[in-house]
mmCIF file of all heavy atoms in Angstrom:
data_model
loop_
_atom_site.group_PDB
_atom_site.id
_atom_site.type_symbol
_atom_site.label_atom_id
_atom_site.label_comp_id
_atom_site.label_asym_id
_atom_site.label_seq_id
_atom_site.Cartn_x
_atom_site.Cartn_y
_atom_site.Cartn_z
ATOM 1 N N ARG A 248 7.923 -41.008 30.424
ATOM 2 C CA ARG A 248 9.328 -40.584 30.596
ATOM 3 C C ARG A 248 9.815 -39.920 29.316
ATOM 4 O O ARG A 248 10.933 -40.158 28.847
ATOM 5 C CB ARG A 248 10.223 -41.779 30.922
ATOM 6 C CG ARG A 248 9.850 -42.449 32.204
ATOM 7 C CD ARG A 248 10.577 -41.800 33.362
ATOM 8 N NE ARG A 248 9.919 -42.086 34.621
ATOM 9 C CZ ARG A 248 10.144 -41.411 35.725
ATOM 10 N NH1 ARG A 248 10.980 -40.405 35.727
ATOM 11 N NH2 ARG A 248 9.543 -41.715 36.839
ATOM 12 N N ALA A 249 8.942 -39.111 28.716
ATOM 13 C CA ALA A 249 9.224 -38.541 27.399
ATOM 14 C C ALA A 249 10.069 -37.276 27.477
ATOM 15 O O ALA A 249 10.593 -36.836 26.460
ATOM 16 C CB ALA A 249 7.912 -38.250 26.675
ATOM 17 N N ALA A 250 10.172 -36.658 28.646
ATOM 18 C CA ALA A 250 10.948 -35.419 28.764
ATOM 19 C C ALA A 250 11.530 -35.311 30.161
ATOM 20 O O ALA A 250 10.976 -35.840 31.125
ATOM 21 C CB ALA A 250 10.062 -34.212 28.483
ATOM 22 N N GLN A 251 12.636 -34.601 30.248
ATOM 23 C CA GLN A 251 13.252 -34.368 31.558
ATOM 24 C C GLN A 251 13.067 -32.940 32.034
ATOM 25 O O GLN A 251 13.401 -32.624 33.170
ATOM 26 C CB GLN A 251 14.744 -34.700 31.485
ATOM 27 C CG GLN A 251 14.987 -36.198 31.434
ATOM 28 C CD GLN A 251 16.467 -36.512 31.352
ATOM 29 O OE1 GLN A 251 17.083 -36.423 30.307
ATOM 30 N NE2 GLN A 251 17.039 -36.885 32.475
ATOM 31 N N VAL A 252 12.570 -32.085 31.154
ATOM 32 C CA VAL A 252 12.240 -30.716 31.547
ATOM 33 C C VAL A 252 10.798 -30.474 31.105
ATOM 34 O O VAL A 252 10.453 -30.719 29.945
ATOM 35 C CB VAL A 252 13.175 -29.690 30.862
ATOM 36 C CG1 VAL A 252 12.809 -28.274 31.287
ATOM 37 C CG2 VAL A 252 14.638 -29.981 31.193
ATOM 38 N N ILE A 253 9.962 -30.030 32.024
ATOM 39 C CA ILE A 253 8.531 -29.888 31.756
ATOM 40 C C ILE A 253 8.233 -28.415 31.479
ATOM 41 O O ILE A 253 8.657 -27.540 32.239
ATOM 42 C CB ILE A 253 7.717 -30.418 32.955
ATOM 43 C CG1 ILE A 253 8.066 -31.891 33.204
ATOM 44 C CG2 ILE A 253 6.224 -30.245 32.736
ATOM 45 C CD1 ILE A 253 7.845 -32.820 32.032
ATOM 46 N N MET A 254 7.509 -28.147 30.385
ATOM 47 C CA MET A 254 7.430 -26.785 29.842
ATOM 48 C C MET A 254 5.994 -26.346 29.569
ATOM 49 O O MET A 254 5.568 -26.257 28.418
ATOM 50 C CB MET A 254 8.263 -26.738 28.550
ATOM 51 C CG MET A 254 8.436 -25.362 27.978
ATOM 52 S SD MET A 254 9.566 -25.356 26.564
ATOM 53 C CE MET A 254 11.144 -25.401 27.371
ATOM 54 N N PRO A 255 5.203 -26.067 30.608
ATOM 55 C CA PRO A 255 3.835 -25.595 30.354
ATOM 56 C C PRO A 255 3.817 -24.128 29.921
ATOM 57 O O PRO A 255 4.667 -23.344 30.342
ATOM 58 C CB PRO A 255 3.150 -25.751 31.717
ATOM 59 C CG PRO A 255 4.251 -25.637 32.714
ATOM 60 C CD PRO A 255 5.498 -26.168 32.046
ATOM 61 N N ASP A 256 2.854 -23.788 29.079
ATOM 62 C CA ASP A 256 2.593 -22.396 28.712
ATOM 63 C C ASP A 256 1.325 -21.987 29.456
ATOM 64 O O ASP A 256 0.264 -22.571 29.246
ATOM 65 C CB ASP A 256 2.401 -22.287 27.195
ATOM 66 C CG ASP A 256 2.165 -20.855 26.746
ATOM 67 O OD1 ASP A 256 1.285 -20.178 27.325
ATOM 68 O OD2 ASP A 256 2.843 -20.408 25.807
ATOM 69 N N LEU A 257 1.424 -20.966 30.294
ATOM 70 C CA LEU A 257 0.284 -20.575 31.143
ATOM 71 C C LEU A 257 -0.938 -20.157 30.351
ATOM 72 O O LEU A 257 -2.065 -20.305 30.825
ATOM 73 C CB LEU A 257 0.689 -19.414 32.069
ATOM 74 C CG LEU A 257 1.309 -19.789 33.407
ATOM 75 C CD1 LEU A 257 2.629 -20.490 33.225
ATOM 76 C CD2 LEU A 257 1.468 -18.572 34.280
ATOM 77 N N CYS A 258 -0.728 -19.615 29.164
ATOM 78 C CA CYS A 258 -1.855 -19.151 28.351
ATOM 79 C C CYS A 258 -2.474 -20.261 27.519
ATOM 80 O O CYS A 258 -3.440 -20.035 26.796
ATOM 81 C CB CYS A 258 -1.404 -18.025 27.426
ATOM 82 S SG CYS A 258 -1.114 -16.488 28.293
ATOM 83 N N TRP A 259 -1.907 -21.458 27.584
ATOM 84 C CA TRP A 259 -2.428 -22.595 26.815
ATOM 85 C C TRP A 259 -2.806 -23.779 27.711
ATOM 86 O O TRP A 259 -3.768 -24.488 27.431
ATOM 87 C CB TRP A 259 -1.379 -23.064 25.785
ATOM 88 C CG TRP A 259 -1.148 -22.126 24.651
ATOM 89 C CD1 TRP A 259 -1.971 -21.113 24.240
ATOM 90 C CD2 TRP A 259 -0.021 -22.114 23.762
ATOM 91 N NE1 TRP A 259 -1.411 -20.477 23.151
ATOM 92 C CE2 TRP A 259 -0.227 -21.068 22.829
ATOM 93 C CE3 TRP A 259 1.134 -22.885 23.651
ATOM 94 C CZ2 TRP A 259 0.681 -20.774 21.813
ATOM 95 C CZ3 TRP A 259 2.037 -22.593 22.626
ATOM 96 C CH2 TRP A 259 1.807 -21.550 21.726
ATOM 97 N N CYS A 260 -2.034 -24.028 28.748
ATOM 98 C CA CYS A 260 -2.184 -25.293 29.494
ATOM 99 C C CYS A 260 -3.401 -25.298 30.414
ATOM 100 O O CYS A 260 -3.801 -26.350 30.883
ATOM 101 C CB CYS A 260 -0.927 -25.596 30.302
ATOM 102 S SG CYS A 260 -0.759 -24.607 31.803
ATOM 103 N N GLY A 261 -3.990 -24.121 30.678
ATOM 104 C CA GLY A 261 -5.112 -24.046 31.610
ATOM 105 C C GLY A 261 -4.935 -22.930 32.627
ATOM 106 O O GLY A 261 -5.711 -22.835 33.579
ATOM 107 N N GLY A 262 -3.898 -22.115 32.442
ATOM 108 C CA GLY A 262 -3.712 -20.950 33.317
ATOM 109 C C GLY A 262 -2.757 -21.206 34.457
ATOM 110 O O GLY A 262 -2.057 -22.221 34.511
ATOM 111 N N LEU A 263 -2.735 -20.251 35.382
ATOM 112 C CA LEU A 263 -1.852 -20.359 36.553
ATOM 113 C C LEU A 263 -2.227 -21.561 37.408
ATOM 114 O O LEU A 263 -1.354 -22.267 37.932
ATOM 115 C CB LEU A 263 -1.956 -19.082 37.393
ATOM 116 C CG LEU A 263 -1.055 -17.922 36.963
ATOM 117 C CD1 LEU A 263 -1.619 -16.605 37.460
ATOM 118 C CD2 LEU A 263 0.361 -18.124 37.498
ATOM 119 N N SER A 264 -3.533 -21.796 37.556
ATOM 120 C CA SER A 264 -3.989 -22.916 38.404
ATOM 121 C C SER A 264 -3.422 -24.230 37.891
ATOM 122 O O SER A 264 -2.879 -25.031 38.655
ATOM 123 C CB SER A 264 -5.518 -23.028 38.377
ATOM 124 O OG SER A 264 -6.111 -21.851 38.827
ATOM 125 N N GLU A 265 -3.554 -24.443 36.584
ATOM 126 C CA GLU A 265 -3.143 -25.720 36.009
ATOM 127 C C GLU A 265 -1.616 -25.833 35.978
ATOM 128 O O GLU A 265 -1.065 -26.899 36.241
ATOM 129 C CB GLU A 265 -3.732 -25.851 34.593
ATOM 130 C CG GLU A 265 -3.907 -27.275 34.129
ATOM 131 C CD GLU A 265 -4.939 -28.048 34.927
ATOM 132 O OE1 GLU A 265 -5.506 -27.539 35.902
ATOM 133 O OE2 GLU A 265 -5.177 -29.219 34.561
ATOM 134 N N ALA A 266 -0.933 -24.733 35.676
ATOM 135 C CA ALA A 266 0.534 -24.771 35.631
ATOM 136 C C ALA A 266 1.110 -25.106 37.001
ATOM 137 O O ALA A 266 2.097 -25.845 37.116
ATOM 138 C CB ALA A 266 1.074 -23.430 35.140
ATOM 139 N N LYS A 267 0.494 -24.589 38.048
ATOM 140 C CA LYS A 267 0.956 -24.897 39.419
ATOM 141 C C LYS A 267 0.786 -26.408 39.691
ATOM 142 O O LYS A 267 1.667 -27.052 40.272
ATOM 143 C CB LYS A 267 0.149 -24.057 40.406
ATOM 144 C CG LYS A 267 0.255 -24.456 41.849
ATOM 145 C CD LYS A 267 1.386 -23.781 42.581
ATOM 146 C CE LYS A 267 1.357 -24.144 44.070
ATOM 147 N NZ LYS A 267 2.592 -23.818 44.747
ATOM 148 N N LYS A 268 -0.334 -26.961 39.256
ATOM 149 C CA LYS A 268 -0.570 -28.398 39.475
ATOM 150 C C LYS A 268 0.390 -29.236 38.633
ATOM 151 O O LYS A 268 0.910 -30.265 39.089
ATOM 152 C CB LYS A 268 -2.028 -28.744 39.121
ATOM 153 C CG LYS A 268 -3.022 -28.182 40.129
ATOM 154 C CD LYS A 268 -4.446 -28.255 39.638
ATOM 155 C CE LYS A 268 -5.384 -27.599 40.661
ATOM 156 N NZ LYS A 268 -6.709 -27.327 40.131
ATOM 157 N N ILE A 269 0.638 -28.809 37.399
ATOM 158 C CA ILE A 269 1.566 -29.540 36.519
ATOM 159 C C ILE A 269 2.969 -29.512 37.119
ATOM 160 O O ILE A 269 3.695 -30.516 37.083
ATOM 161 C CB ILE A 269 1.524 -28.928 35.101
ATOM 162 C CG1 ILE A 269 0.176 -29.251 34.436
ATOM 163 C CG2 ILE A 269 2.695 -29.418 34.250
ATOM 164 C CD1 ILE A 269 -0.159 -28.353 33.261
ATOM 165 N N ALA A 270 3.359 -28.373 37.690
ATOM 166 C CA ALA A 270 4.682 -28.281 38.328
ATOM 167 C C ALA A 270 4.779 -29.270 39.486
ATOM 168 O O ALA A 270 5.818 -29.920 39.683
ATOM 169 C CB ALA A 270 4.931 -26.854 38.816
ATOM 170 N N ALA A 271 3.703 -29.401 40.245
ATOM 171 C CA ALA A 271 3.713 -30.348 41.363
ATOM 172 C C ALA A 271 3.797 -31.789 40.858
ATOM 173 O O ALA A 271 4.502 -32.624 41.426
ATOM 174 C CB ALA A 271 2.455 -30.159 42.221
ATOM 175 N N MET A 272 3.093 -32.084 39.755
ATOM 176 C CA MET A 272 3.180 -33.433 39.166
ATOM 177 C C MET A 272 4.602 -33.727 38.709
ATOM 178 O O MET A 272 5.106 -34.840 38.880
ATOM 179 C CB MET A 272 2.223 -33.543 37.970
ATOM 180 C CG MET A 272 0.757 -33.557 38.364
ATOM 181 S SD MET A 272 -0.338 -33.258 36.950
ATOM 182 C CE MET A 272 -0.003 -34.675 35.929
ATOM 183 N N ALA A 273 5.264 -32.722 38.125
ATOM 184 C CA ALA A 273 6.659 -32.907 37.684
ATOM 185 C C ALA A 273 7.564 -33.135 38.893
ATOM 186 O O ALA A 273 8.470 -33.973 38.852
ATOM 187 C CB ALA A 273 7.118 -31.683 36.898
ATOM 188 N N GLU A 274 7.302 -32.411 39.958
ATOM 189 C CA GLU A 274 8.145 -32.527 41.156
ATOM 190 C C GLU A 274 8.091 -33.940 41.735
ATOM 191 O O GLU A 274 9.099 -34.466 42.210
ATOM 192 C CB GLU A 274 7.699 -31.501 42.206
ATOM 193 C CG GLU A 274 8.680 -31.359 43.352
ATOM 194 C CD GLU A 274 8.406 -30.112 44.182
ATOM 195 O OE1 GLU A 274 7.246 -29.672 44.242
ATOM 196 O OE2 GLU A 274 9.374 -29.591 44.769
ATOM 197 N N VAL A 275 6.916 -34.552 41.655
ATOM 198 C CA VAL A 275 6.773 -35.926 42.132
ATOM 199 C C VAL A 275 7.700 -36.873 41.367
ATOM 200 O O VAL A 275 8.215 -37.852 41.912
ATOM 201 C CB VAL A 275 5.297 -36.380 41.997
ATOM 202 C CG1 VAL A 275 5.145 -37.869 42.233
ATOM 203 C CG2 VAL A 275 4.418 -35.606 42.962
ATOM 204 N N GLU A 276 7.938 -36.560 40.072
ATOM 205 C CA GLU A 276 8.831 -37.380 39.227
ATOM 206 C C GLU A 276 10.274 -36.883 39.289
ATOM 207 O O GLU A 276 11.103 -37.300 38.480
ATOM 208 C CB GLU A 276 8.336 -37.352 37.776
ATOM 209 C CG GLU A 276 6.891 -37.786 37.589
ATOM 210 C CD GLU A 276 6.674 -39.276 37.840
ATOM 211 O OE1 GLU A 276 7.640 -40.043 37.770
ATOM 212 O OE2 GLU A 276 5.519 -39.648 38.124
ATOM 213 N N TYR A 277 10.552 -35.948 40.195
ATOM 214 C CA TYR A 277 11.893 -35.338 40.336
ATOM 215 C C TYR A 277 12.323 -34.632 39.062
ATOM 216 O O TYR A 277 13.480 -34.730 38.648
ATOM 217 C CB TYR A 277 12.937 -36.383 40.766
ATOM 218 C CG TYR A 277 12.514 -37.144 41.996
ATOM 219 C CD1 TYR A 277 12.281 -38.512 41.955
ATOM 220 C CD2 TYR A 277 12.291 -36.472 43.192
ATOM 221 C CE1 TYR A 277 11.852 -39.195 43.080
ATOM 222 C CE2 TYR A 277 11.858 -37.147 44.319
ATOM 223 C CZ TYR A 277 11.634 -38.503 44.260
ATOM 224 O OH TYR A 277 11.197 -39.179 45.372
ATOM 225 N N LEU A 278 11.374 -33.931 38.434
ATOM 226 C CA LEU A 278 11.663 -33.192 37.207
ATOM 227 C C LEU A 278 11.418 -31.697 37.432
ATOM 228 O O LEU A 278 10.505 -31.315 38.171
ATOM 229 C CB LEU A 278 10.768 -33.681 36.065
ATOM 230 C CG LEU A 278 10.998 -35.128 35.620
ATOM 231 C CD1 LEU A 278 9.990 -35.501 34.541
ATOM 232 C CD2 LEU A 278 12.422 -35.328 35.120
ATOM 233 N N PRO A 279 12.220 -30.858 36.767
ATOM 234 C CA PRO A 279 12.031 -29.406 36.882
ATOM 235 C C PRO A 279 11.044 -28.881 35.844
ATOM 236 O O PRO A 279 10.777 -29.537 34.842
ATOM 237 C CB PRO A 279 13.442 -28.871 36.579
ATOM 238 C CG PRO A 279 13.986 -29.859 35.596
ATOM 239 C CD PRO A 279 13.400 -31.200 35.952
ATOM 240 N N VAL A 280 10.548 -27.670 36.091
ATOM 241 C CA VAL A 280 9.742 -26.976 35.088
ATOM 242 C C VAL A 280 10.510 -25.764 34.564
ATOM 243 O O VAL A 280 11.284 -25.135 35.286
ATOM 244 C CB VAL A 280 8.363 -26.507 35.629
ATOM 245 C CG1 VAL A 280 7.460 -27.677 35.906
ATOM 246 C CG2 VAL A 280 8.513 -25.646 36.855
ATOM 247 N N ALA A 281 10.289 -25.486 33.289
ATOM 248 C CA ALA A 281 10.865 -24.308 32.624
ATOM 249 C C ALA A 281 9.742 -23.706 31.796
ATOM 250 O O ALA A 281 9.596 -24.019 30.614
ATOM 251 C CB ALA A 281 12.049 -24.704 31.746
ATOM 252 N N PRO A 282 8.896 -22.845 32.398
ATOM 253 C CA PRO A 282 7.677 -22.410 31.692
ATOM 254 C C PRO A 282 7.972 -21.762 30.343
ATOM 255 O O PRO A 282 8.943 -21.020 30.188
ATOM 256 C CB PRO A 282 7.063 -21.392 32.665
ATOM 257 C CG PRO A 282 7.600 -21.775 34.002
ATOM 258 C CD PRO A 282 8.985 -22.286 33.754
ATOM 259 N N HIS A 283 7.101 -22.073 29.389
ATOM 260 C CA HIS A 283 7.182 -21.481 28.048
ATOM 261 C C HIS A 283 6.652 -20.050 28.128
ATOM 262 O O HIS A 283 5.551 -19.812 28.605
ATOM 263 C CB HIS A 283 6.316 -22.304 27.086
ATOM 264 C CG HIS A 283 6.343 -21.832 25.680
ATOM 265 N ND1 HIS A 283 5.248 -21.254 25.050
ATOM 266 C CD2 HIS A 283 7.333 -21.845 24.758
ATOM 267 C CE1 HIS A 283 5.570 -20.964 23.805
ATOM 268 N NE2 HIS A 283 6.829 -21.303 23.595
#
Side-chain angles (χ1 to χ4, degrees):
R248 298 272 160 196
Q251 286 180 281
V252 180
I253 301 303
M254 188 174 281
D256 182 309
L257 272 64
C258 287
W259 290 342
C260 76
L263 275 157
S264 301
E265 205 66 356
K267 167 89 175 165
K268 289 167 183 166
I269 290 161
M272 290 165 64
E274 192 166 28
V275 169
E276 305 291 339
Y277 307 116
L278 295 177
V280 291
H283 182 248

